[in-house]
Amino acid sequence: MKPSFFDLTYDDLKALLMEKGFTPFGATQMFDWVYKKWVHDPEAWTNVSKAAKEFFRENYDFSLLKIVWEGLSKDGTRKFLVKLADGQTVETVAIAARDRLTLCVSSQVGCAVGCTFCHTATQGLKRHLKPSEVVGQFLTVQKWLHDNVSLEEKLTNIVYMGQGEPLHNYENMKKSTEIFMSEKGLGLGQRRITLSTSGLVPAIEKLAVDFPPVNIAISLHSARNDVRTELMPINKVYDLERLFTAIKKIPLKAHRRITYEYLLIDGVNDSLEDVVALGNLLNTKESKINLIPFNEFPGSKYKRPSAEKILWFLDQMIKRGFTCTIRATKGSDILAACGQLKSEYEKINLWNETALTLRPSIPSSALQSPGQG
Ligand code: SF4
């Protein structure tokens, strides 16, 4: 199988061109054709030498991913299940909010972190995604939107909050971020990209040194070690003390504030004791808190708190001086749960793969919002 052109950062492409005896300046033209003009057949690159065009036609693959399922929620959220070259599938979700259209990308097939509230965790880790498979989620969905909705539909932001722990796949996610941010290509600004992590401390320490300066979100979910360990087994190894020692090394001038994701679960992490612990752990100037009311799914042992409890928790954090928001549930009518669509697909796929393209009938009780983690 040929390597994908979408695995190459701008610097990789320049180095490849030099290695093969071509002018490295061709990288600018090629990125321009591929990412700005959307011309993925080298034959049509009019300002590139014949030899270079032939080289890329023969040796590189420009295929996008295959969309095997797509669904639109009443609130405008669109969920896609995409098939990779080896037949594995991952989810990617386009979320419309205000003037933004954000794509929530997956970074792995499955996940090894094992958070007890997460549906993806039940699948285990199957493999890491390559940079081209993350960039491919963006290109594939963008093309689909242009072809099926309107040329005006433009993805503006990216969050690495789909299936997988992005920092467990550090080098590939770093490359994909560099490709997204390259001014020669897609040119997404650093403030338009958010990397979310469950708290892989060695990778956070590395990120502070050599990762592009994108927004950072930490899946915190509790400010108490015993509760966090119950929810996220990673806390056994990298507890709150180790996590926050690493977080303090992230240069905040570039990252501005860090967002802390806090999944609110009834009777688990929504008490006054939790409020006090969270208030003591975080710094009001450098933190934003995003409360995510838990959405129950079949087989989950956790429950969503009442609306009063959610608002009470929000009020408590605001009174303590924090910037605190509640994440709206998006796409609850289209299986927008992280990992849930993929599971349903695999079940149905055992019987008849083509049936899915006709949209499977899946009970509404099996629905959940995206990015639970
Ligand atoms: S919440 Fe994220 S890190 Fe945790 S198991 Fe699910 S996908 Fe992995």
Side-chain angles (χ1 to χ4, degrees):
M1 195 189 298
K2 293 180 194 175
S4 172
F5 183 90
F6 309 126
D7 276 321
L8 299 169
T9 65
Y10 180 72
D11 287 343
D12 290 340
L13 181 56
K14 273 208 310 195
L16 176 70
L17 288 170
M18 280 200 284
E19 184 196 317
K20 299 295 172 191
F22 301 118
T23 167
F25 302 115
T28 301
Q29 278 109 37
M30 291 177 191
F31 256 47
D32 188 68
W33 281 113
V34 169
Y35 292 114
K36 290 192 171 157
K37 298 193 176 87
W38 286 79
V39 177
H40 294 169
D41 178 2
E43 191 57 41
W45 298 348
T46 49
N47 55 358
V48 174
S49 75
K50 194 162 179 282
K53 288 196 284 196
E54 269 173 25
F55 172 79
F56 281 95
R57 277 202 91 173
E58 278 170 23
N59 297 292
Y60 277 83
D61 181 33
F62 291 81
S63 310
L64 299 183
L65 305 177
K66 185 178 173 208
I67 294 173
V68 292
W69 191 90
E70 166 276 325
L72 174 65
S73 160
K74 287 186 201 125
D75 64 21
T77 301
R78 260 183 215 280
K79 184 147 191 169
F80 300 86
L81 189 68
V82 293
K83 192 183 249 186
L84 310 173
D86 63 355
Q88 297 281 2
T89 54
V90 289
E91 303 167 7
T92 189
V93 185
I95 304 160
R98 298 193 298 275
D99 55 343
R100 283 183 250 164
L101 186 54
T102 301
L103 191 69
C104 177
V105 294
S106 291
S107 56
Q108 295 175 313
V109 182
C111 183
V113 174
C115 302
T116 55
F117 53 79
C118 172
H119 198 271
T120 298
T122 62
Q123 298 162 11
L125 175 66
K126 292 189 176 150
R127 71 169 174 86
H128 295 311
L129 293 194
K130 294 186 274 186
S132 56
E133 292 170 326
V134 178
V135 175
Q137 291 172 54
F138 183 94
L139 297 177
T140 302
V141 170
Q142 182 62 83
K143 182 170 186 318
W144 189 93
L145 292 170
H146 278 172
D147 292 349
N148 295 280
V149 183
S150 131
L151 287 175
E152 307 301 313
E153 274 310 92
K154 196 166 180 289
L155 294 169
T156 59
N157 291 58
I158 292 171
V159 292
Y160 287 76
M161 289 186 190
Q163 292 171 277
E165 161 53 63
L167 292 186
H168 186 204
N169 186 11
Y170 189 93
E171 293 303 331
N172 286 349
M173 293 310 99
K174 183 175 167 218
K175 272 195 186 231
S176 67
T177 307
E178 287 166 1
I179 296 167
F180 284 133
M181 289 174 68
S182 173
E183 286 178 7
K184 308 287 185 191
L186 292 168
L188 284 164
Q190 64 193 53
R191 293 185 178 191
R192 294 194 174 273
I193 300 176
T194 301
L195 185 81
S196 174
T197 177
S198 59
L200 215 50
V201 164
I204 293 174
E205 285 167 348
K206 192 161 157 38
L207 172 147
V209 178
D210 71 1
F211 207 89
V214 296
N215 300 319
I216 301 294
I218 306 284
S219 295
L220 188 62
H221 307 324
S222 177
R224 296 159 61 198
N225 269 321
D226 54 340
V227 178
R228 192 165 192 269
T229 297
E230 183 196 323
L231 296 172
M232 308 175 76
I234 193 172
N235 198 67
K236 274 187 224 156
V237 187
Y238 304 119
D239 65 12
L240 290 166
E241 286 68 36
R242 291 193 68 184
L243 176 61
F244 276 79
T245 302
I247 289 172
K248 284 187 185 121
K249 293 181 188 158
I250 298 173
L252 267 186
K253 198 170 171 203
H255 294 301
R256 302 169 300 153
R257 287 183 187 195
I258 289 177
T259 299
Y260 293 91
E261 308 285 349
Y262 195 101
L263 193 62
L264 271 175
I265 304 174
D266 188 39
V268 174
N269 62 357
D270 60 349
S271 68
L272 184 59
E273 194 181 353
D274 294 297
V275 166
V276 171
L278 189 56
N280 290 340
L281 181 67
L282 301 184
N283 173 323
T284 53
K285 288 204 185 82
E286 295 173 351
S287 317
K288 274 194 287 190
I289 302 169
N290 194 11
L291 301 176
I292 311 164
F294 183 72
N295 277 315
E296 295 157 36
F297 58 85
S300 160
K301 58 180 175 175
Y302 300 120
K303 299 256 173 284
R304 180 189 181 99
S306 66
E308 294 75 35
K309 196 69 185 280
I310 294 165
L311 291 173
W312 171 82
F313 202 100
L314 173 75
D315 187 51
Q316 289 293 319
M317 296 323 298
I318 290 174
K319 277 187 182 142
R320 284 166 171 76
F322 287 95
T323 301
C324 185
T325 52
I326 298 175
R327 188 194 292 176
T329 299
K330 289 279 186 180
S332 60
D333 52 334
I334 52 153
L335 274 182
C338 171
Q340 203 168 3
L341 174 60
K342 178 180 160 59
S343 293
E344 290 300 325
Y345 171 75
E346 283 171 355
K347 268 188 247 162
I348 291 162
N349 205 22
L350 289 175
W351 297 99
N352 179 2
E353 179 175 338
T354 55
L356 199 78
T357 58
L358 302 173
R359 297 198 186 179
S361 164
I362 297 163
S364 59
S365 58
L367 305 176
Q368 196 188 3
S369 65
Q372 183 102 266

